Amino acid sequence: MEVTLSSQLLSLGISALVGLALAVVYDVFRVTRILFRTGKIAMYVQDILYGIAAAFITFLLALAVNSGEIRFYIIGGELIGMAVYFLTLGRITVRIAKWIHRICVKIALWFKRHISEPIKGFYEKKKTAIAQKNAENKKRKKNSERNIENVGLSMMCYRLRKANKTCLGERQERGRMGKLL
């Protein structure tokens, strides 16, 4: 098969378009890294997946254009397409992504200051008020139990006095019973 200059230029143009498309796909990863602040591990995984996909697409391009023969001008055309994209639209895309990120951060901070924090403050006030009420109720309950014990003890002393017996407190009775056992 004869390789003519026109077929090589056509292959170079097609590979430049494929390189441009690969750059757009990589830019999607760049924008997600800007907007979502992915970690290093996620970045490495994305780069490895992108590299595998780009190698596979380059292989398919070589199959379609040169019957599987990899020529340097195909790889050069992809690099030219990527360079053209990154030096023109890529810069604009990153600027727009950073601008969108700044706006989203400002909206999130406004939401936090004006909506989330007042609700949280209201919730904290209610929580402390409920805790104070519960503590007061516990105190009242404890005091009322003491009063009931005292009333029961005084009734017992009243009965024992009528029977001319000595009046021992409930705790003293328990102490004596414990010593006897």
Side-chain angles (χ1 to χ4, degrees):
M1 181 173 128
E2 187 177 319
V3 180
T4 63
L5 186 61
S6 63
S7 67
Q8 288 178 351
L9 286 175
L10 181 66
S11 299
L12 182 68
I14 292 171
S15 63
L17 290 176
V18 169
L20 190 105
L22 288 173
V24 169
V25 170
Y26 189 75
D27 225 16
V28 169
F29 287 121
R30 284 194 334 173
V31 168
T32 57
R33 288 177 192 167
I34 291 170
L35 293 179
F36 301 112
R37 303 283 184 192
T38 58
K40 286 185 178 182
I41 294 173
M43 184 176 69
Y44 293 138
V45 170
Q46 288 174 355
D47 285 344
I48 289 170
L49 290 176
Y50 174 78
I52 291 170
F56 183 69
I57 290 171
T58 302
F59 174 71
L60 291 178
L61 175 69
L63 276 177
V65 173
N66 284 338
S67 303
E69 294 178 5
I70 297 178
R71 308 247 180 195
F72 285 115
Y73 62 84
I74 291 178
I75 295 172
E78 284 183 352
L79 291 176
I80 289 171
M82 287 180 176
V84 166
Y85 177 78
F86 285 130
L87 294 175
T88 57
L89 293 175
R91 289 182 178 177
I92 296 169
T93 305
V94 170
R95 284 183 189 158
I96 290 171
K98 287 181 180 180
W99 180 73
I100 290 171
H101 182 259
R102 272 189 246 116
I103 288 173
C104 290
V105 166
K106 286 180 182 180
I107 290 171
L109 288 175
W110 183 88
F111 181 79
K112 182 180 177 187
R113 282 189 203 125
H114 294 93
I115 296 173
S116 178
E117 286 179 359
I119 290 172
K120 186 178 178 183
F122 177 75
Y123 173 74
E124 290 295 325
K125 286 179 185 176
K126 286 295 182 183
K127 187 177 168 183
T128 54
I130 290 171
Q132 286 176 349
K133 259 193 176 170
N134 286 341
E136 290 172 7
N137 288 341
K138 251 185 190 177
K139 207 177 213 182
R140 277 193 211 124
K141 186 176 179 183
K142 195 173 185 180
N143 287 340
S144 65
E145 286 175 358
R146 283 185 189 158
N147 290 340
I148 290 173
E149 276 182 16
N150 291 340
V151 168
L153 185 60
S154 63
M155 289 298 289
M156 186 176 84
C157 288
Y158 176 74
R159 287 187 195 135
L160 288 175
R161 280 193 197 133
K162 277 192 169 184
N164 291 328
K165 295 183 180 175
T166 60
C167 179
L168 296 173
E170 190 176 321
R171 291 188 182 137
Q172 291 172 340
E173 288 260 346
R174 285 185 198 153
R176 280 199 177 169
M177 292 298 277
K179 288 178 184 174
L180 292 176
L181 295 175

Coordinates of all heavy atoms in Angstrom, one line a residue, residues 88-124:
T88 N -6.2 27.3 24.3 CA -7.4 28.2 23.9 C -8.6 28.0 24.8 O -8.7 28.7 25.8 CB -7.7 28.0 22.5 OG1 -8.1 26.6 22.2 CG2 -6.6 28.4 21.5
L89 N -9.4 27.0 24.5 CA -10.6 26.8 25.3 C -10.4 26.2 26.7 O -11.2 26.4 27.6 CB -11.5 25.8 24.5 CG -12.1 26.3 23.2 CD1 -12.8 25.2 22.4 CD2 -13.0 27.5 23.4
G90 N -9.3 25.5 26.8 CA -8.9 24.9 28.1 C -8.8 25.9 29.2 O -9.3 25.8 30.3
R91 N -8.1 27.0 28.9 CA -7.9 28.1 29.9 C -9.2 28.7 30.2 O -9.5 29.0 31.4 CB -6.9 29.1 29.3 CG -5.5 28.7 29.2 CD -4.6 29.7 28.7 NE -3.2 29.3 28.7 CZ -2.3 30.0 28.2 NH1 -2.5 31.2 27.8 NH2 -1.0 29.5 28.2
I92 N -10.0 29.0 29.2 CA -11.4 29.6 29.5 C -12.2 28.6 30.3 O -12.9 29.1 31.3 CB -12.1 29.9 28.1 CG1 -11.3 31.0 27.4 CG2 -13.5 30.4 28.4 CD1 -11.7 31.2 26.0
T93 N -12.2 27.4 30.0 CA -13.0 26.4 30.8 C -12.6 26.4 32.2 O -13.4 26.3 33.1 CB -12.8 25.0 30.2 OG1 -13.2 25.0 28.8 CG2 -13.7 24.0 30.9
V94 N -11.3 26.4 32.5 CA -10.8 26.3 33.9 C -11.2 27.6 34.6 O -11.6 27.6 35.8 CB -9.2 26.1 33.9 CG1 -8.7 26.3 35.3 CG2 -8.9 24.7 33.4
R95 N -11.1 28.8 33.9 CA -11.5 30.0 34.6 C -13.0 30.0 34.9 O -13.4 30.4 36.0 CB -11.2 31.2 33.6 CG -9.8 31.6 33.6 CD -9.6 32.8 32.7 NE -8.1 33.0 32.5 CZ -7.7 33.7 31.5 NH1 -8.5 34.2 30.6 NH2 -6.4 33.9 31.3
I96 N -13.8 29.5 34.0 CA -15.2 29.4 34.3 C -15.5 28.5 35.4 O -16.3 28.8 36.3 CB -16.0 29.0 33.0 CG1 -15.9 30.1 32.0 CG2 -17.4 28.6 33.3 CD1 -16.5 29.8 30.6
A97 N -14.8 27.4 35.5 CA -15.0 26.4 36.5 C -14.6 27.0 37.9 O -15.3 26.8 38.9 CB -14.2 25.1 36.3
K98 N -13.5 27.7 37.9 CA -13.1 28.4 39.2 C -14.1 29.5 39.6 O -14.4 29.6 40.8 CB -11.7 29.0 39.0 CG -10.6 28.0 39.0 CD -9.2 28.6 38.9 CE -8.1 27.5 38.9 NZ -6.8 28.1 38.8
W99 N -14.6 30.2 38.6 CA -15.6 31.2 38.9 C -16.9 30.6 39.5 O -17.4 31.1 40.5 CB -15.9 32.0 37.6 CG -16.9 33.1 37.8 CD1 -16.8 34.3 38.4 CD2 -18.3 33.0 37.3 NE1 -17.9 35.0 38.3 CE2 -18.9 34.3 37.6 CE3 -19.0 32.1 36.6 CZ2 -20.2 34.6 37.3 CZ3 -20.3 32.4 36.2 CH2 -20.9 33.6 36.6
I100 N -17.3 29.5 38.9 CA -18.5 28.8 39.4 C -18.2 28.2 40.8 O -19.1 28.3 41.7 CB -18.9 27.6 38.4 CG1 -19.5 28.2 37.1 CG2 -19.9 26.7 39.0 CD1 -19.7 27.2 36.0
H101 N -17.0 27.7 41.0 CA -16.7 27.2 42.3 C -16.7 28.3 43.4 O -17.3 28.2 44.5 CB -15.3 26.6 42.3 CG -14.8 26.0 43.6 ND1 -14.0 26.7 44.4 CD2 -15.2 24.9 44.2 CE1 -13.8 25.9 45.5 NE2 -14.5 24.8 45.4
R102 N -16.2 29.5 43.0 CA -16.2 30.6 44.0 C -17.7 31.0 44.3 O -18.0 31.3 45.4 CB -15.5 31.8 43.4 CG -14.0 31.8 43.8 CD -13.3 33.1 43.4 NE -12.4 32.8 42.3 CZ -12.4 33.2 41.1 NH1 -13.3 34.1 40.7 NH2 -11.5 32.8 40.2
I103 N -18.5 31.1 43.3 CA -19.9 31.4 43.5 C -20.6 30.4 44.4 O -21.4 30.8 45.3 CB -20.7 31.6 42.1 CG1 -20.2 32.9 41.4 CG2 -22.2 31.6 42.3 CD1 -20.7 33.0 40.0
C104 N -20.4 29.1 44.1 CA -21.0 28.1 44.9 C -20.5 28.2 46.4 O -21.3 28.0 47.3 CB -20.6 26.7 44.4 SG -21.5 26.3 42.8
V105 N -19.2 28.5 46.6 CA -18.7 28.6 48.0 C -19.4 29.8 48.7 O -19.8 29.7 49.8 CB -17.2 28.8 48.0 CG1 -16.6 29.2 49.3 CG2 -16.5 27.4 47.6
K106 N -19.5 30.9 47.9 CA -20.2 32.1 48.5 C -21.6 31.8 48.9 O -22.1 32.2 50.0 CB -20.1 33.3 47.6 CG -18.7 33.9 47.5 CD -18.6 35.1 46.6 CE -17.2 35.6 46.5 NZ -17.1 36.8 45.6
I107 N -22.3 31.1 48.0 CA -23.7 30.7 48.3 C -23.8 29.8 49.5 O -24.6 30.0 50.4 CB -24.4 30.1 47.1 CG1 -24.6 31.1 46.0 CG2 -25.7 29.4 47.4 CD1 -25.0 30.6 44.7
A108 N -22.9 28.8 49.6 CA -22.8 27.9 50.7 C -22.5 28.7 52.0 O -23.2 28.4 53.1 CB -21.8 26.8 50.5
L109 N -21.6 29.6 52.0 CA -21.3 30.4 53.2 C -22.5 31.2 53.6 O -22.8 31.4 54.8 CB -20.0 31.2 53.0 CG -18.7 30.5 53.0 CD1 -17.6 31.4 52.6 CD2 -18.5 29.8 54.3
W110 N -23.1 31.9 52.7 CA -24.3 32.7 53.0 C -25.4 31.8 53.6 O -26.0 32.2 54.6 CB -24.8 33.4 51.7 CG -26.0 34.2 52.0 CD1 -26.0 35.6 52.4 CD2 -27.4 33.9 52.0 NE1 -27.2 36.0 52.6 CE2 -28.1 35.0 52.4 CE3 -28.1 32.7 51.8 CZ2 -29.5 35.0 52.5 CZ3 -29.4 32.7 51.9 CH2 -30.1 33.8 52.2
F111 N -25.6 30.7 53.0 CA -26.6 29.7 53.6 C -26.3 29.3 55.0 O -27.1 29.3 55.9 CB -26.7 28.5 52.7 CG -27.7 27.5 53.1 CD1 -29.1 27.7 52.8 CD2 -27.3 26.4 53.8 CE1 -30.0 26.8 53.2 CE2 -28.3 25.4 54.2 CZ -29.6 25.6 53.9
K112 N -25.0 29.1 55.2 CA -24.5 28.6 56.6 C -24.7 29.8 57.6 O -25.3 29.5 58.7 CB -23.1 28.2 56.5 CG -22.5 27.8 57.8 CD -21.1 27.4 57.7 CE -20.6 27.0 59.1 NZ -19.1 26.7 59.1
R113 N -24.3 31.0 57.2 CA -24.5 32.1 58.1 C -25.9 32.5 58.4 O -26.2 32.8 59.5 CB -23.7 33.3 57.6 CG -22.2 33.2 57.7 CD -21.6 34.6 57.4 NE -20.2 34.3 57.0 CZ -19.6 34.6 55.9 NH1 -20.3 35.3 55.0 NH2 -18.4 34.3 55.6
H114 N -26.7 32.6 57.4 CA -28.0 33.2 57.5 C -29.1 32.2 57.8 O -30.2 32.5 58.2 CB -28.4 34.0 56.3 CG -27.5 35.2 56.2 ND1 -26.3 35.2 55.4 CD2 -27.6 36.5 56.7 CE1 -25.8 36.4 55.5 NE2 -26.5 37.2 56.3
I115 N -28.9 30.9 57.5 CA -30.0 29.9 57.6 C -29.6 28.8 58.6 O -30.3 28.6 59.6 CB -30.4 29.3 56.3 CG1 -31.0 30.5 55.4 CG2 -31.4 28.2 56.4 CD1 -31.3 30.1 54.0
S116 N -28.5 28.2 58.4 CA -28.1 27.0 59.1 C -27.7 27.4 60.6 O -28.1 26.7 61.5 CB -26.9 26.3 58.5 OG -26.4 25.3 59.2
E117 N -26.9 28.4 60.8 CA -26.4 28.8 62.1 C -27.6 29.3 63.0 O -27.6 28.9 64.2 CB -25.3 29.8 62.1 CG -24.0 29.2 61.6 CD -22.8 30.1 61.5 OE1 -23.0 31.4 61.8 OE2 -21.7 29.7 61.2
P118 N -28.5 30.1 62.5 CA -29.6 30.5 63.3 C -30.5 29.3 63.8 O -30.9 29.2 64.9 CB -30.4 31.5 62.5 CG -29.5 32.0 61.5 CD -28.5 30.9 61.3
I119 N -30.7 28.4 62.8 CA -31.5 27.2 63.2 C -30.7 26.4 64.2 O -31.3 25.9 65.2 CB -31.8 26.3 61.9 CG1 -32.8 27.1 61.0 CG2 -32.3 24.9 62.3 CD1 -33.0 26.4 59.7
K120 N -29.4 26.2 64.1 CA -28.6 25.5 65.0 C -28.6 26.2 66.4 O -28.7 25.5 67.4 CB -27.1 25.4 64.5 CG -26.2 24.5 65.3 CD -24.9 24.5 64.7 CE -23.9 23.6 65.6 NZ -22.6 23.6 65.1
G121 N -28.5 27.5 66.4 CA -28.6 28.3 67.7 C -29.9 28.1 68.3 O -30.0 27.9 69.6
F122 N -31.0 28.1 67.6 CA -32.3 27.9 68.1 C -32.4 26.5 68.7 O -33.0 26.3 69.8 CB -33.4 28.1 67.0 CG -34.8 27.8 67.5 CD1 -35.5 28.7 68.3 CD2 -35.4 26.7 67.1 CE1 -36.8 28.5 68.7 CE2 -36.7 26.4 67.5 CZ -37.4 27.3 68.3
Y123 N -31.9 25.5 68.0 CA -31.9 24.1 68.5 C -31.1 24.0 69.8 O -31.6 23.3 70.7 CB -31.4 23.2 67.4 CG -31.2 21.8 67.8 CD1 -32.3 21.0 68.0 CD2 -29.9 21.3 68.1 CE1 -32.1 19.7 68.4 CE2 -29.8 20.0 68.5 CZ -30.9 19.2 68.7 OH -30.7 17.9 69.1
E124 N -30.0 24.6 69.8 CA -29.1 24.6 71.0 C -29.8 25.2 72.2 O -29.8 24.7 73.4 CB -27.8 25.2 70.8 CG -26.9 24.5 69.9 CD -26.4 23.1 70.4 OE1 -26.2 23.0 71.6 OE2 -26.3 22.2 69.6

